Amino acid sequence: GESPLTDVLKQSLKDSELSLFRLASETGIARASLIRFTCGETSLRLDIADRLARYFRLALVPAKKQRIRKRG
């Protein structure tokens, strides 16, 4: 995928089955921006990504650190 955040937002859009017109109306995000994002033409500004995350009730949490095994 592109990035964990982008992947989660795109999957949330897909899973919601909302039209981009309705999503734009309910979030105040320009439909053109949503179209370009879903088509992979552009990324979202952080404030817009945050608005989408809030709309879908997503939370950004730190990933667990992976242990690096030393070869000995």
Side-chain angles (χ1 to χ4, degrees):
E2 299 167 56
S3 79
L5 181 57
T6 296
D7 291 342
V8 169
L9 287 173
K10 283 186 177 180
Q11 190 62 50
S12 296
L13 284 164
K14 183 179 175 182
D15 293 347
S16 74
E17 298 182 0
L18 291 172
S19 70
L20 294 182
F21 179 82
R22 181 170 173 195
L23 186 61
S25 297
E26 292 185 7
T27 61
I29 299 169
R31 190 170 68 96
S33 294
L34 293 170
I35 291 169
R36 287 191 301 270
F37 174 65
T38 57
C39 292
E41 293 176 17
T42 187
S43 58
L44 294 176
R45 291 189 338 234
L46 188 56
D47 62 318
I48 293 175
D50 187 52
R51 203 178 317 170
L52 270 182
R54 269 189 267 125
Y55 180 81
F56 290 119
R57 297 183 176 161
L58 301 172
L60 191 61
V61 295
K64 292 182 180 180
K65 292 183 180 180
Q66 294 181 348
R67 289 186 176 179
I68 300 173
R69 295 182 183 176
K70 294 183 180 179
R71 295 182 187 187

